[in-house]
Every structure is written in C-alpha cells, then in structure tokens.
Amino acid sequence: MSNKTFTFANVLAAGAVALLAAGAAQAQTGGTLAAVKQRGVVNCGVNTSLPGFSTPDAQGNWTGLDVDTCKAVAAAVLGDAKKVKYFPLNAQQRFAALQSGEIDLLARNTTWTLTRDTSLGLNFGPVTYYDGQGFMVSKKLGVKSAKELNGATVCVQPGTTTELNLADYFRANKMDFKPVVIQELAEVEAAFFAGRCDVYTTDASGLASTRAARAANADDYVILPELVSKEPLAPAVRQGDDEWYNIVFWSVTSLVEAEELGVTQSNADDLKKSDNPAIKRFLGVTPGMGKNLNLSEEWAYNVVKQVGNYGEVFERNVGKATPLKLERGLNALWTKGGLQYAIPVR
C-alpha cells in the first residue's frame, strides 16, 4: 500500500511540475516576437507630436527620443531600425491600444506608476527619461514660483498623472485653481498660448518641447523652478509575454550599456576587434547573449550602429544643441552624477 501511495504521489507531483512548466513556457512566449517577425515591422505607439520625443516631419518621417526607443527594438529584432510602423496616440488612447494588441510597444512619454504596472496589465522597461512635472507661465504674469499660483487657471490634459499631481500640489499648498481640461495635446498648447489659461502644466521636458516648438517667441515664457512630482518615463508592453518583455528591456538597456562601454555609431565596427571581454559580449563577437533573447548575436551591435548609444540619442533629440536645450541632469550616467545605470549584459 505504501509503495502504491508513494508511486501515485510521484505521478501527481510529476504532473504538477509538467503543468507548471507548460504554464511558464506559455507566459515566456506570448507570441509577440513571432508576430513581429511575420509582419516585418514593430507596431509602436508614440505621442501625436511632442518635439524631441516623437514628431513627424512633412514627409511622415518620425524622430525623437521615444521614436529612437521604437527603432532600437526594431534594430534588435529585425536588424533594421527603419522597420517600425508608428501609431500616434493621445493620452487616453495609449493604454487601450497596447492592451488590445493594436501595438506591440508603447513608447510615448509615459510615467511608470504602481497602478499602471498592476491594474492596467502593463510591464515597463527601463526608464528612458527621468522627469518631473513643472509649470510654465507667460513672463507678463510676473510669477517667480509655483507657490504664487493661487487662483490661477491651469491647462492640463485628462487621463494623465499630470492631472492628479496638479490637484495634489494645490491641495497640499492650500491653494485654489481652475482646471481647463483639454484632451488633445495640440489643442491644450494652443489654448495656453491664446491666453485661455494662466498656466500650462505637464512634464518639464514636455514644457521645454512646447515652448521651443509652439511659442511665437520662446523668451516670452518661463518654466517655474519647482518640480512637483517624479515622472520616470519608460516604454511599456503587455503582461504575459516574458520573451517580448525581455527583448524590449534589453534593447533599451543596450543603449545605456553602449554609452558606459564607450561604443558609438561611429566606432562600433572598430570595437568588434577590441580585447575587452564586456565589449566582445555586447557586440556579439563572443556569442551567447543573442541566443538568450532568441535574437541574432548582433542584436546590440545593430541597435548601436543604427540608432546610437543613449548619450547620442539624448543629445540628438533633446540635448543642448537642440531647440529644447536640455541638460543631462538625472539622465546622465551614474558615473557622472545621474541615474542612468545599465544592468550588465553578460
């Protein structure tokens, strides 16, 4: 009897292990990679138009820091950074587009929060821009601090962390405000510059983008010094597909790793001859990293050669030589006082 019981218990245990393994395999491969390869493009959700982060030119060519996130994933997966189909989405459309499977990846100046990470069924990749919410006013208003905004009318987009932070900040500082809530980005910007509201609030990077691209004279507007929130902006994918999440995570990580290693668009080919073991692993000279991701061994080389490293992406899109004139600040490498720190590719 004891032998039969022991044998039956073993069978049950083996069956349970098999079910767990099958479930794990299903979670690990949710089919996005296969779908992308079959389709031949990455479907990427971006902002409708936020200069420096995602904006199309007259020919429909998209550029920006978030756009380069899309391109990095396409370079890693398909070997070609141009194989991206862009889906311009407003703040209220973005999550539904990802949840429904319309897009494979959301790279749209989106803040990573607990609620979005859990109840919305999303997984966020590495932070591509550490930001904070700010306030922009006309210089004619004569305001020097956000704490002088009691009674102001404030332009804000719905369905954003911005809207929630705005209410929290004014409540905490015992001030009143009148919200002017407008859904589309272009319309909320136009309302602010037309004088429908005293203040425009969004992420500080977005304020710099709006001032540089939309103001008739950028010098007529000032971004107040206070940052009233933490806004870690990161790409997102659907939960339930570990394989695709890993690919997006490491594609973005490779941008920062490349900067740490000193690998750039211009020297990536030469550094394939490097004796540095970390560089050899990263560029696929020493195989193994690509296999772990179910990608070509040149996945990271393709990212850097076609898109650049994180420093190149930052400076090209939002850095000091661009109309936004943003400093690296928190987005500098950890070795230079910032928060950008690559998980080791090894």
Side-chain angles (χ1 to χ4, degrees):
M1 181 69 179
S2 60
N3 286 339
K4 289 182 180 180
T5 304
F6 177 76
T7 302
F8 184 61
N10 283 350
V11 170
L12 286 176
V17 169
L19 286 171
L20 287 171
Q26 185 176 10
Q28 288 168 4
T29 56
T32 307
L33 175 61
V36 168
K37 286 184 172 180
Q38 183 176 17
R39 190 192 310 129
V41 295
V42 174
N43 290 340
C44 195
V46 294
N47 202 310
T48 52
S49 182
L50 185 65
F53 288 84
S54 58
T55 190
D57 63 17
Q59 289 73 45
N61 299 309
W62 287 82
T63 58
L65 191 147
D66 285 340
V67 168
D68 281 345
T69 298
C70 305
K71 290 181 177 179
V73 174
V77 174
L78 301 171
D80 188 344
K82 296 178 182 178
K83 291 185 175 180
V84 181
K85 182 177 180 181
Y86 298 99
F87 289 71
L89 303 167
N90 65 34
Q92 292 187 312
Q93 294 169 332
R94 54 184 165 174
F95 300 126
L98 184 58
Q99 292 163 334
S100 69
E102 182 181 6
I103 58 175
D104 308 309
L105 166 67
L106 180 66
R108 189 208 170 279
N109 60 296
T110 296
T111 302
W112 182 359
T113 70
L114 184 151
T115 301
R116 290 172 174 177
D117 200 42
T118 54
S119 64
L120 293 185
L122 308 181
N123 279 332
F124 285 84
V127 175
T128 54
Y129 193 94
Y130 288 95
D131 211 344
Q133 184 173 331
F135 300 95
M136 181 163 63
V137 298
S138 169
K139 282 184 178 177
K140 292 187 294 185
L141 199 63
V143 171
K144 303 296 183 184
S145 167
K147 292 184 178 179
E148 300 173 29
L149 295 176
N150 188 32
T153 55
V154 184
C155 279
V156 63
Q157 284 186 283
T160 61
T161 56
T162 306
E163 187 179 23
L164 303 175
N165 295 332
L166 171 64
D168 286 349
Y169 179 77
F170 273 77
R171 186 181 303 113
N173 286 280
K174 296 180 172 56
M175 298 190 299
D176 295 321
F177 72 100
K178 180 180 178 181
V180 179
V181 181
I182 302 172
Q183 181 168 307
E184 297 298 335
L185 176 61
E187 294 176 12
V188 74
E189 291 173 335
F192 171 68
F193 290 122
R196 284 183 56 192
C197 44
D198 304 312
V199 185
Y200 175 40
T201 185
T202 189
D203 299 341
S205 63
L207 295 176
S209 172
T210 295
R211 181 173 63 176
R214 312 290 186 220
N217 183 1
D219 292 336
D220 289 342
Y221 298 89
V222 61
I223 298 172
L224 300 178
E226 292 90 350
L227 292 180
V228 302
S229 69
K230 294 183 293 184
E231 305 294 330
L233 308 181
V237 297
R238 290 178 296 280
Q239 289 182 5
D241 190 341
D242 291 352
E243 178 185 54
W244 184 245
Y245 171 75
N246 288 340
I247 288 169
V248 171
F249 182 96
W250 289 104
S251 296
V252 176
T253 295
S254 71
L255 298 170
V256 179
E257 176 84 347
E259 186 179 9
E260 290 182 351
L261 293 172
V263 183
T264 67
Q265 277 187 299
S266 61
N267 70 15
D269 289 319
D270 290 338
L271 285 179
K272 280 191 169 185
K273 303 168 189 173
S274 171
D275 292 328
N276 184 325
I279 292 176
K280 292 173 73 174
R281 278 194 304 271
F282 181 72
L283 294 177
V285 177
T286 301
M289 300 300 100
K291 181 181 179 181
N292 289 337
L293 292 169
N294 295 327
L295 299 177
S296 159
E297 293 297 345
E298 292 201 325
W299 66 278
Y301 164 81
N302 289 333
V303 171
V304 181
K305 185 65 179 176
Q306 297 180 38
V307 183
N309 66 35
Y310 180 79
E312 292 176 298
V313 168
F314 186 99
E315 294 300 337
R316 176 170 68 237
N317 292 300
V318 301
K320 290 182 287 185
T322 71
L324 275 68
K325 297 180 173 59
L326 295 176
E327 300 283 346
R328 287 290 294 268
L330 294 177
N331 295 291
L333 292 180
W334 63 285
T335 52
K336 297 182 179 179
L339 297 178
Q340 291 293 351
Y341 181 111
I343 307 303
V345 178
R346 66 172 304 143

